Protein backbone atom coordinates (compact mmCIF):
# COMPACT_ATOMS: atom_id res chain seq x y z
CA UNK A 1 0.00 0.00 0.00
CA UNK A 2 2.80 2.42 0.91
CA UNK A 3 4.59 1.72 -2.39
CA UNK A 4 1.38 2.42 -4.33
CA UNK A 5 0.86 5.67 -2.41
CA UNK A 6 4.46 6.63 -3.13
CA UNK A 7 4.02 5.93 -6.84
CA UNK A 8 0.86 8.05 -6.96
CA UNK A 9 2.65 10.89 -5.19
CA UNK A 10 5.54 10.70 -7.64
CA UNK A 11 3.14 10.84 -10.61
CA UNK A 12 1.29 13.79 -9.09
CA UNK A 13 4.53 15.66 -8.41
CA UNK A 14 5.72 15.04 -11.96
CA UNK A 15 2.43 16.36 -13.35
CA UNK A 16 2.56 19.47 -11.14
CA UNK A 17 6.19 20.13 -12.01
CA UNK A 18 5.47 19.70 -15.72
CA UNK A 19 2.51 22.07 -15.61
CA UNK A 20 4.54 24.66 -13.70
CA UNK A 21 7.39 24.40 -16.20
CA UNK A 22 4.99 25.06 -19.09
CA UNK A 23 2.62 27.62 -17.55
CA UNK A 24 4.81 29.24 -14.91
CA UNK A 25 1.97 28.91 -12.40
CA UNK A 26 0.28 26.35 -10.18
CA UNK A 27 -2.53 24.47 -12.02
CA UNK A 28 -5.28 25.89 -9.83
CA UNK A 29 -4.53 29.47 -10.80
CA UNK A 30 -4.50 28.48 -14.47
CA UNK A 31 -7.62 26.27 -14.45
CA UNK A 32 -9.98 28.78 -12.86
CA UNK A 33 -10.60 30.01 -16.40
CA UNK A 34 -11.76 26.56 -17.55
CA UNK A 35 -15.49 25.93 -18.25
CA UNK A 36 -17.34 24.97 -15.03
CA UNK A 37 -17.87 21.32 -16.01
CA UNK A 38 -14.24 20.81 -16.89
CA UNK A 39 -13.17 22.68 -13.76
CA UNK A 40 -15.37 20.40 -11.61
CA UNK A 41 -14.13 17.25 -13.34
CA UNK A 42 -10.51 18.22 -12.73
CA UNK A 43 -11.24 18.96 -9.08
CA UNK A 44 -12.95 15.58 -8.63
CA UNK A 45 -9.98 13.84 -10.24
CA UNK A 46 -7.60 15.55 -7.83
CA UNK A 47 -9.53 15.58 -4.55
CA UNK A 48 -12.03 12.73 -4.94
CA UNK A 49 -14.36 12.52 -1.94
CA UNK A 50 -11.87 13.41 0.78
CA UNK A 51 -12.84 17.07 1.23
CA UNK A 52 -15.66 16.27 3.66
CA UNK A 53 -13.02 15.28 6.22
CA UNK A 54 -11.75 18.88 6.35
CA UNK A 55 -14.95 20.22 7.90
CA UNK A 56 -14.76 20.52 11.70
CA UNK A 57 -17.82 19.54 13.71
CA UNK A 58 -19.20 22.12 16.13
CA UNK A 59 -20.93 21.63 19.48
CA UNK A 60 -23.07 24.69 18.95
CA UNK A 61 -24.05 24.93 15.29
CA UNK A 62 -22.96 24.35 11.68
CA UNK A 63 -19.56 22.81 10.91
CA UNK A 64 -16.53 25.05 10.58
CA UNK A 65 -14.31 25.10 7.49
CA UNK A 66 -10.86 26.69 7.43
CA UNK A 67 -9.46 27.68 4.02
CA UNK A 68 -5.70 27.54 4.44
CA UNK A 69 -3.94 30.14 2.32
CA UNK A 70 -0.18 29.37 2.38
CA UNK A 71 1.96 31.62 4.59
CA UNK A 72 -1.02 33.21 6.33
CA UNK A 73 -0.78 31.57 9.75
CA UNK A 74 -2.65 28.45 8.66
CA UNK A 75 -0.37 25.90 10.31
CA UNK A 76 -1.04 27.54 13.69
CA UNK A 77 -4.81 27.60 13.13
CA UNK A 78 -4.76 23.99 11.96
CA UNK A 79 -3.03 22.90 15.17
CA UNK A 80 -5.69 24.74 17.20
CA UNK A 81 -8.32 22.73 15.29
CA UNK A 82 -6.54 19.48 16.14
CA UNK A 83 -4.97 18.99 12.71
CA UNK A 84 -1.31 18.13 12.37
CA UNK A 85 -1.48 18.83 8.66
CA UNK A 86 -3.87 21.33 7.05
CA UNK A 87 -3.73 21.10 3.24
CA UNK A 88 -3.97 24.15 1.01
CA UNK A 89 -7.32 23.56 -0.70
CA UNK A 90 -9.03 26.48 -2.50
CA UNK A 91 -12.53 27.48 -1.48
CA UNK A 92 -13.77 26.82 -5.03
CA UNK A 93 -12.93 23.13 -4.62
CA UNK A 94 -15.18 22.85 -1.56
CA UNK A 95 -17.96 24.77 -3.29
CA UNK A 96 -17.78 22.53 -6.37
CA UNK A 97 -17.43 19.13 -4.65
CA UNK A 98 -19.37 19.62 -1.38
CA UNK A 99 -21.86 22.37 -2.33
CA UNK A 100 -24.55 21.78 0.32
CA UNK A 101 -22.05 21.35 3.14
CA UNK A 102 -20.02 24.35 1.98
CA UNK A 103 -23.11 26.56 1.92
CA UNK A 104 -24.08 25.51 5.46
CA UNK A 105 -20.60 25.69 7.00
CA UNK A 106 -19.07 28.67 8.74
CA UNK A 107 -16.07 29.12 6.45
CA UNK A 108 -13.18 31.39 7.36
CA UNK A 109 -9.69 32.32 6.20
CA UNK A 110 -6.78 34.58 7.09
CA UNK A 111 -5.22 37.12 4.71
CA UNK A 112 -2.13 39.29 4.98
CA UNK A 113 -0.21 42.04 3.23
CA UNK A 114 0.65 40.44 -0.16
CA UNK A 115 4.25 41.62 -0.20
CA UNK A 116 4.79 40.47 3.40
CA UNK A 117 3.42 37.11 2.28
CA UNK A 118 5.97 36.89 -0.53
CA UNK A 119 8.82 37.72 1.85
CA UNK A 120 7.46 35.07 4.23
CA UNK A 121 7.55 32.58 1.36
CA UNK A 122 11.20 33.45 0.89
CA UNK A 123 11.86 32.86 4.60
CA UNK A 124 10.16 29.47 4.25
CA UNK A 125 12.95 28.41 1.89
CA UNK A 126 15.62 29.17 4.45
CA UNK A 127 14.03 28.65 7.85
CA UNK A 128 10.75 26.74 7.77
CA UNK A 129 10.47 23.44 9.62
CA UNK A 130 8.95 22.13 6.36
CA UNK A 131 11.67 23.35 3.96
CA UNK A 132 13.49 20.68 1.98
CA UNK A 133 17.26 20.58 1.48
CA UNK A 134 16.76 21.75 -2.11
CA UNK A 135 14.65 24.71 -0.99
CA UNK A 136 17.30 25.66 1.56
CA UNK A 137 19.95 25.54 -1.18
CA UNK A 138 17.92 27.85 -3.43
CA UNK A 139 17.45 30.25 -0.50
CA UNK A 140 21.17 30.94 -0.67
CA UNK A 141 21.93 30.41 -4.36
CA UNK A 142 19.10 32.62 -5.69
CA UNK A 143 19.80 35.53 -3.35
CA UNK A 144 16.78 35.23 -1.05
CA UNK A 145 19.04 35.30 1.99
CA UNK A 146 21.45 38.02 0.89
CA UNK A 147 18.92 40.53 -0.46
CA UNK A 148 15.24 39.58 -0.11
CA UNK A 149 14.02 42.86 -1.63
CA UNK A 150 16.10 42.36 -4.77
CA UNK A 151 14.86 38.77 -4.95
CA UNK A 152 11.26 39.97 -4.56
CA UNK A 153 11.79 42.46 -7.39
CA UNK A 154 13.06 39.66 -9.63
CA UNK A 155 10.19 37.39 -8.60
CA UNK A 156 7.65 40.05 -9.59
CA UNK A 157 9.26 40.97 -12.92
CA UNK A 158 11.08 37.87 -14.19
CA UNK A 159 9.06 34.69 -14.98
CA UNK A 160 12.29 32.74 -15.47
CA UNK A 161 13.36 33.57 -11.92
CA UNK A 162 9.99 32.39 -10.56
CA UNK A 163 10.43 29.09 -12.39
CA UNK A 164 13.97 28.67 -11.06
CA UNK A 165 12.81 29.34 -7.52
CA UNK A 166 9.55 27.37 -7.39
CA UNK A 167 9.92 24.70 -10.04
CA UNK A 168 10.31 21.16 -8.67
CA UNK A 169 9.83 22.21 -5.03
CA UNK A 170 7.18 21.32 -2.48
CA UNK A 171 6.51 25.04 -2.09
CA UNK A 172 5.59 25.26 -5.76
CA UNK A 173 3.56 22.04 -5.70
CA UNK A 174 1.36 22.95 -2.73
CA UNK A 175 0.43 26.34 -4.11
CA UNK A 176 2.73 29.01 -2.68
CA UNK A 177 2.53 30.80 -6.06
CA UNK A 178 -1.30 30.94 -6.02
CA UNK A 179 -2.67 34.35 -5.02
CA UNK A 180 -4.80 34.83 -1.93
CA UNK A 181 -7.72 35.91 -4.12
CA UNK A 182 -7.50 32.69 -6.16
CA UNK A 183 -7.63 30.63 -2.96
CA UNK A 184 -10.70 32.44 -1.66
CA UNK A 185 -12.74 33.32 -4.75
CA UNK A 186 -14.16 32.00 -7.99
CA UNK A 187 -14.75 34.14 -11.06
CA UNK A 188 -13.92 37.29 -9.15
CA UNK A 189 -16.16 36.90 -6.09
CA UNK A 190 -15.15 35.82 -2.60
CA UNK A 191 -16.61 32.48 -1.49
CA UNK A 192 -15.52 32.53 2.16
CA UNK A 193 -17.91 33.92 4.76
CA UNK A 194 -15.50 35.35 7.34
CA UNK A 195 -12.04 36.83 6.83
CA UNK A 196 -9.36 37.90 9.29
CA UNK A 197 -6.00 39.62 8.92
CA UNK A 198 -2.95 37.78 10.20
CA UNK A 199 -2.25 40.35 12.92
CA UNK A 200 -5.65 39.70 14.54
CA UNK A 201 -5.27 36.14 15.83
CA UNK A 202 -7.09 37.13 19.01
CA UNK A 203 -10.18 37.76 16.85
CA UNK A 204 -9.74 34.30 15.31
CA UNK A 205 -9.61 32.65 18.74
CA UNK A 206 -12.76 34.45 19.91
CA UNK A 207 -14.62 33.66 16.71
CA UNK A 208 -13.61 30.00 16.77
CA UNK A 209 -14.64 29.62 20.41
CA UNK A 210 -18.11 30.88 19.49
CA UNK A 211 -18.32 28.79 16.30
CA UNK A 212 -17.16 25.55 17.95
CA UNK A 213 -18.71 26.01 21.38
CA UNK A 214 -15.40 25.49 23.19
CA UNK A 215 -12.29 27.38 24.22
CA UNK A 216 -9.67 27.68 21.49
CA UNK A 217 -6.01 28.66 21.87
CA UNK A 218 -3.92 29.20 18.74
CA UNK A 219 -0.21 28.37 19.13
CA UNK A 220 2.42 30.09 16.99
CA UNK A 221 3.86 27.34 14.79
CA UNK A 222 6.60 27.68 12.17
CA UNK A 223 7.17 31.36 12.98
CA UNK A 224 10.56 32.67 11.86
CA UNK A 225 12.66 34.83 14.17
CA UNK A 226 14.08 37.07 11.46
CA UNK A 227 13.54 40.82 11.71
CA UNK A 228 10.87 42.10 9.30
CA UNK A 229 11.95 43.80 6.07
CA UNK A 230 10.65 47.30 5.30
CA UNK A 231 10.03 47.24 1.52
CA UNK A 232 10.86 50.16 -0.74
CA UNK A 233 8.08 52.19 -2.37
CA UNK A 234 8.90 50.91 -5.85
CA UNK A 235 8.75 47.30 -4.65
CA UNK A 236 5.32 47.90 -3.12
CA UNK A 237 4.19 49.41 -6.43
CA UNK A 238 5.34 46.30 -8.29
CA UNK A 239 3.48 44.06 -5.84
CA UNK A 240 0.29 46.11 -6.18
CA UNK A 241 0.47 45.79 -9.95
CA UNK A 242 1.02 42.02 -9.71
CA UNK A 243 -1.73 41.30 -7.14
CA UNK A 244 -4.43 44.00 -7.28
CA UNK A 245 -7.15 41.64 -6.03
CA UNK A 246 -5.02 40.52 -3.09
CA UNK A 247 -4.43 44.11 -2.05
CA UNK A 248 -8.11 44.95 -2.39
CA UNK A 249 -9.01 41.96 -0.22
CA UNK A 250 -6.42 42.59 2.48
CA UNK A 251 -7.06 46.33 2.72
CA UNK A 252 -10.82 45.84 2.86
CA UNK A 253 -10.55 43.40 5.77
CA UNK A 254 -7.98 45.63 7.46
CA UNK A 255 -10.37 48.61 7.17
CA UNK A 256 -12.92 46.55 9.13
CA UNK A 257 -10.54 46.07 12.04
CA UNK A 258 -9.09 42.79 10.85
CA UNK A 259 -12.41 40.93 11.00
CA UNK A 260 -14.89 40.91 8.12
CA UNK A 261 -18.12 38.97 8.51
CA UNK A 262 -20.36 38.32 5.49
CA UNK A 263 -17.41 38.46 3.11
CA UNK A 264 -18.96 35.94 0.69
CA UNK A 265 -19.87 37.69 -2.54
CA UNK A 266 -17.33 40.48 -2.13
CA UNK A 267 -16.14 41.43 -5.66
CA UNK A 268 -12.39 41.15 -6.13
CA UNK A 269 -12.03 41.92 -9.83
CA UNK A 270 -10.10 45.16 -10.15
CA UNK A 271 -7.89 46.60 -12.83
CA UNK A 272 -4.14 46.56 -12.15
Amino acid sequence: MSSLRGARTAVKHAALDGWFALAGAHPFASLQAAPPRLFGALLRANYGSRLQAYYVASRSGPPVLFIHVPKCGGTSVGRALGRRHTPHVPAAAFQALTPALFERARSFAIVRDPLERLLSIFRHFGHSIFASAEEQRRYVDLGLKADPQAAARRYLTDPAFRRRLMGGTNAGRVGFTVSQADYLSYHGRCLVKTLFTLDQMAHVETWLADALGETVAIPWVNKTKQAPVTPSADLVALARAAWPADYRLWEYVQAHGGLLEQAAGLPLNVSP
Side-chain angles (χ1 to χ4, degrees):
M1 181 64 72
S2 60
S3 60
L4 178 60
R5 187 180 299 113
R8 287 175 176 172
T9 299
V11 169
K12 183 176 180 180
H13 284 181
L16 289 170
D17 293 345
W19 185 286
F20 191 89
L22 290 172
H26 189 274
F28 184 79
S30 308
L31 294 175
Q32 279 229 31
R37 287 189 178 181
L38 176 59
F39 184 64
L42 292 169
L43 290 175
R44 282 190 292 275
N46 186 52
Y47 295 112
S49 60
R50 69 179 186 270
L51 293 190
Q52 292 193 17
Y54 299 153
Y55 290 85
V56 180
S58 169
R59 296 178 180 179
S60 58
V64 170
L65 176 64
F66 175 51
I67 305 299
H68 183 184
V69 179
K71 306 314 296 177
C72 289
T75 301
S76 299
V77 174
R79 294 289 173 86
L81 294 173
R83 305 291 173 86
R84 182 167 181 80
H85 176 60
T86 308
H88 309 112
V89 181
F94 289 99
Q95 183 193 50
L97 302 182
T98 57
L101 191 54
F102 182 75
E103 178 65 26
R104 189 165 64 90
R106 298 183 68 175
S107 56
F108 76 103
I110 298 171
V111 297
R112 73 186 299 182
D113 178 306
L115 188 51
E116 284 185 2
R117 179 176 178 245
L118 176 61
L119 294 172
S120 179
I121 288 171
F122 287 177
R123 290 192 293 272
H124 159 89
F125 276 74
H127 301 282
S128 171
I129 58 176
F130 303 113
S132 67
E134 174 61 21
E135 289 169 341
Q136 292 173 353
R137 184 187 67 78
R138 293 186 194 187
Y139 177 70
V140 176
D141 291 354
L142 296 182
L144 278 61
K145 179 179 181 180
D147 193 340
Q149 291 206 58
R153 192 171 287 105
R154 292 184 66 190
Y155 184 94
L156 292 167
T157 59
D158 184 357
F161 179 80
R162 290 197 295 272
R163 285 183 169 90
R164 288 177 62 199
L165 175 62
M166 292 291 185
T169 67
N170 288 329
R173 293 170 190 141
V174 302
F176 277 28
T177 61
V178 179
S179 71
Q180 297 174 80
D182 278 343
Y183 266 104
L184 303 178
S185 68
Y186 185 58
H187 286 181
R189 290 196 174 271
C190 184
L191 299 176
V192 181
K193 294 176 180 175
T194 303
L195 299 175
F196 302 88
T197 53
L198 181 60
D199 60 338
Q200 296 296 335
M201 279 295 192
H203 285 345
V204 182
E205 288 184 336
T206 301
W207 184 90
L208 274 176
D210 175 71
L212 297 174
E214 58 185 89
T215 302
V216 174
I218 299 176
W220 276 109
V221 180
N222 199 29
K223 184 178 181 181
T224 61
K225 297 180 180 179
Q226 283 188 315
V229 175
T230 301
S232 62
D234 69 306
L235 183 56
V236 173
L238 285 172
R240 284 186 175 277
W243 301 305
D246 279 17
Y247 271 97
R248 173 179 170 80
L249 183 66
W250 171 66
E251 289 174 344
Y252 195 75
V253 181
Q254 192 179 47
H256 285 75
L259 165 58
L260 178 63
E261 299 272 17
Q262 300 179 342
L266 180 71
L268 301 180
N269 283 341
V270 291
S271 298

